[in-house]
Amino acid sequence: MKLWWWAAVLSAASMVPAIAAEPTAQRNDRGAWLIRDVTVIPADNDEVLAHRDVLVRDGRIAAISAHGKTRTPRDTAVIDGSGKFLIPGLVDAHVHIATEGALRDSKNPLLSGLDPGPDHVYDRRVLLSFLKAGVTGAANLGGGVQSDEDLLWLRDEIAAGRIVGPRLYVAKRINGPRAGVASPRPAEVPASKPAAPTTAADGIAAVRAAHERGYDFIKPYQFLNRETYRAVIDESRRLGMATSGHLPELGCGVCADRAFAFAHPMDNIAHSEELGRYGRESNLAPRDIDALADLVVDRKIGVTPTLITLKQIVHMYVQREVPPTPAGWDALVDPVTRLDWAPAGNNYLSDRFRNQEGADTFSAGYDFSRLLTRELWKRGVPLTVGTDAPLPGLAFGVSVHQEMIELREVGLSPLEVLRAASVNAHRLFDRQGGSGAVRSGERADLVLLNADPLADIRNVARIDGVFVQGRWLPAARIEAMLAESDQAMQALSQRIQTRQAEAARAQPAP
């Protein structure tokens, strides 16, 4: 690990006032900050380090020392950390980020080709929503071609310091045609191609193309047949690409069975619901919780439970409404997401969803997943925090807090929840990028809290400010940056309403 020789250039102790505002966040150079007299929660072990001074320089944690033992370099801004808590930046390990590319991909005539505004204002607002919640990393688990291209571009712009946002990890979703794993299998299945492979060769080609394009990891999806699924897993591993996705479909002649799926395991299962889907083989029998948990442990697989996702779906099924977002967050839901949540575009409120086979077991499936997640935790399975936002009711950023509460409620300690939301995600998606813990030499993706998250995990919402890629953004500055996009979002909302009105006028009279 590189040693940061900042001490060699320390000047004599000088009277440096605490800063009221950060240096310009958009600049390319990275400044230096000293967080003075803060409690550090590294999250990679059980330590809690009280009364520490933390020096951030050039995008890294340069040093952590006992309070008062460090001289302050003259070019260093000081942040008063007394009574505050420094934790690793949070990571949403399963999200589907709304982008301007997704608008270009959209098949919805209300959205297709819609002008979202200048200078990627729509993308920037979504990214700032993550930072408002202390989410400094986000793993996108697959989208359309244009959406993915937008995300790969945004990832690189963020890394270069030209756009402010969380560190992005972009997955390539690889999936076969649903008809290829239907039961009984139809007589005709679409010809295999890397974009929808039904052969091992095309599965391998899809992984290689993703690797060459610079995707960060692979998301295998459930409609891959047995041999194609195995080829995608094996080639991803050969190329050193992590895999996080869905378990393969069961029940057809070319489908995997449970033994095959776990004989060729992904690095991470993207939902506990996926294990619950396998649990339906036993009609969600309680004894199957132990059997599935043992398979996960034996194959050394991680799991992103996304319990809040299931909770929202059950709420919509039972209450026939979208659950409210946490206080203060509804106004940040962008107009495109709000349109998707509305009854007309919300599949979870449709009769088709309610009338599907097995719908009456949704609530039982949520209970099964909660108990299964608890058993995974008790067995030491590495869990990560994911949300599936923007599923209806789950806003970008704050939904991470909601999932953290879900994990706390199934038994994880607050420290274990923090670890799942930070260090564990870095081990999965960022194997070469450090541990994600608050340690000297690590990247400065950090959150400064005004209250102790170990006393109450809900205190992760009490954010004083965020370090993202080494830059300090006080909470008030993030709010101001979000407010700068309000006018553009209002204009976008108006354009959508205009299209809705035009579509309504085009409908034939009853």
Side-chain angles (χ1 to χ4, degrees):
M1 181 177 294
K2 185 175 180 181
L3 182 61
W4 296 85
W5 292 102
W6 64 271
V9 296
L10 289 180
S11 63
S14 57
M15 297 299 292
V16 181
I19 59 174
E22 85 290 2
T24 303
Q26 298 280 10
R27 68 187 189 182
N28 287 330
D29 60 304
R30 287 166 172 164
W33 291 267
L34 184 73
I35 312 168
R36 190 166 53 197
D37 195 19
V38 70
T39 296
V40 174
I41 303 174
D44 59 347
N45 62 19
D46 294 340
E47 285 185 309
V48 176
L49 309 174
H51 302 295
R52 293 299 196 269
D53 293 340
V54 179
L55 182 66
V56 173
R57 182 186 290 281
D58 296 326
R60 296 272 174 177
I61 302 170
I64 301 174
S65 57
H67 175 52
K69 300 297 183 181
T70 299
R71 293 179 178 180
T72 306
R74 290 188 183 276
D75 64 344
T76 301
V78 176
I79 300 168
D80 183 8
S82 57
K84 298 175 183 178
F85 300 81
L86 191 66
I87 65 170
L90 308 176
V91 178
D92 191 332
H94 188 143
V95 68
H96 298 274
I97 300 174
T99 68
E100 295 177 14
L103 295 182
R104 293 190 292 274
D105 262 352
S106 179
K107 297 178 181 178
N108 185 340
L110 296 176
L111 299 177
S112 180
L114 191 68
D115 176 15
D119 195 26
H120 283 268
V121 63
Y122 179 81
D123 290 334
R124 292 175 190 270
R125 183 180 176 92
V126 168
L127 295 171
L128 284 168
S129 297
F130 287 102
L131 299 186
K132 175 180 166 65
V135 178
T136 63
N140 193 83
L141 268 81
V145 174
Q146 291 295 335
S147 180
D148 278 3
E149 286 298 319
D150 206 31
L151 282 165
L152 290 166
W153 179 83
L154 287 168
R155 179 196 64 187
D156 295 342
E157 291 293 293
I158 292 167
R162 292 187 288 268
I163 288 180
V164 177
R167 194 176 303 274
L168 297 183
Y169 308 104
V170 184
K172 175 61 178 178
R173 183 177 65 183
I174 300 179
N175 191 25
R178 184 188 293 261
V181 292
S183 180
R185 194 179 183 205
E188 293 187 11
V189 176
S192 182
K193 55 186 177 180
T198 59
T199 67
D202 281 338
I204 290 169
V207 174
R208 290 177 179 172
H211 183 262
E212 291 172 4
R213 179 61 187 88
Y215 283 87
D216 297 290
F217 66 106
I218 298 295
K219 180 185 182 180
Y221 207 69
Q222 69 196 62
F223 301 127
L224 294 170
N225 64 36
R226 179 173 56 244
E227 293 306 322
T228 309
Y229 184 85
R230 176 180 180 175
V232 167
I233 298 295
D234 290 349
E235 186 65 11
S236 299
R237 184 172 294 111
R238 190 186 71 80
L239 293 174
M241 300 185 76
T243 49
S244 180
H246 288 208
L247 291 167
E249 195 75 5
L250 302 170
C252 75
V254 295
C255 288
D257 57 20
R258 185 185 296 198
F260 185 93
F262 284 98
H264 306 284
M266 292 179 286
D267 295 302
N268 187 74
I269 297 170
H271 305 275
S272 59
E273 180 188 8
E274 285 298 294
L275 292 161
R277 183 161 58 83
Y278 277 31
R280 293 182 185 277
E281 290 182 306
S282 63
N283 196 25
L284 301 177
R287 66 180 180 277
D288 214 12
I289 290 174
D290 281 331
L292 288 164
D294 286 343
L295 284 168
V296 172
V297 171
D298 181 64
R299 303 306 295 164
K300 297 181 173 59
I301 307 170
V303 177
T304 306
T306 64
L307 294 176
I308 191 62
T309 308
L310 283 173
K311 187 175 187 177
Q312 303 294 97
I313 292 171
V314 169
H315 180 104
M316 287 184 278
Y317 177 74
V318 174
Q319 302 296 335
R320 304 190 183 204
E321 64 178 13
V322 175
T325 55
W329 283 85
D330 186 67
L332 280 179
V333 179
D334 65 88
V336 175
T337 298
R338 197 175 297 282
L339 181 67
D340 288 339
W341 291 5
N346 186 342
N347 177 57
Y348 298 103
L349 297 178
S350 69
D351 288 339
R352 181 170 63 86
F353 180 79
R354 299 185 59 80
N355 296 332
Q356 68 178 294
E357 184 180 355
D360 56 348
T361 66
F362 288 154
S363 293
Y366 171 55
D367 293 339
F368 186 92
S369 290
R370 294 183 81 241
L371 291 171
L372 175 57
T373 299
R374 178 174 170 80
E375 290 304 315
L376 296 171
W377 160 66
K378 287 165 63 176
R379 287 163 164 80
V381 171
L383 303 179
T384 44
V385 170
T387 67
D388 225 358
L391 182 129
L394 294 178
F396 294 118
V398 70
S399 51
V400 169
H401 301 171
Q402 295 172 270
E403 177 68 2
M404 293 172 78
I405 292 169
E406 289 287 307
L407 293 181
R408 178 72 181 103
E409 290 181 349
V410 300
L412 280 70
S413 71
L415 183 56
E416 289 170 321
V417 174
L418 281 179
R419 190 171 297 141
S422 57
V423 173
N424 288 356
H426 280 271
R427 290 172 179 165
L428 175 60
F429 297 118
D430 204 355
R431 296 167 180 174
Q432 306 303 317
S435 70
V438 188
R439 297 288 184 190
S440 294
E442 296 290 344
R443 292 186 307 211
D445 292 333
L446 307 166
V447 183
L448 187 62
L449 299 175
N450 288 314
D452 185 1
L454 303 187
D456 186 343
I457 198 61
R458 289 171 174 80
N459 286 336
V460 295
R462 299 185 61 183
I463 295 172
D464 185 74
V466 174
F467 276 96
V468 59
Q469 299 197 16
R471 297 188 180 92
W472 169 242
L473 291 173
R477 176 60 182 143
I478 296 172
E479 293 286 2
M481 294 170 74
L482 281 164
E484 290 170 2
S485 63
D486 284 348
Q487 186 173 354
M489 291 304 101
Q490 291 167 7
L492 177 59
S493 180
Q494 183 60 52
R495 286 193 286 274
I496 292 173
Q497 291 173 22
T498 298
R499 286 192 173 190
Q500 287 176 314
E502 291 171 349
R505 288 195 295 271
Q507 291 295 319

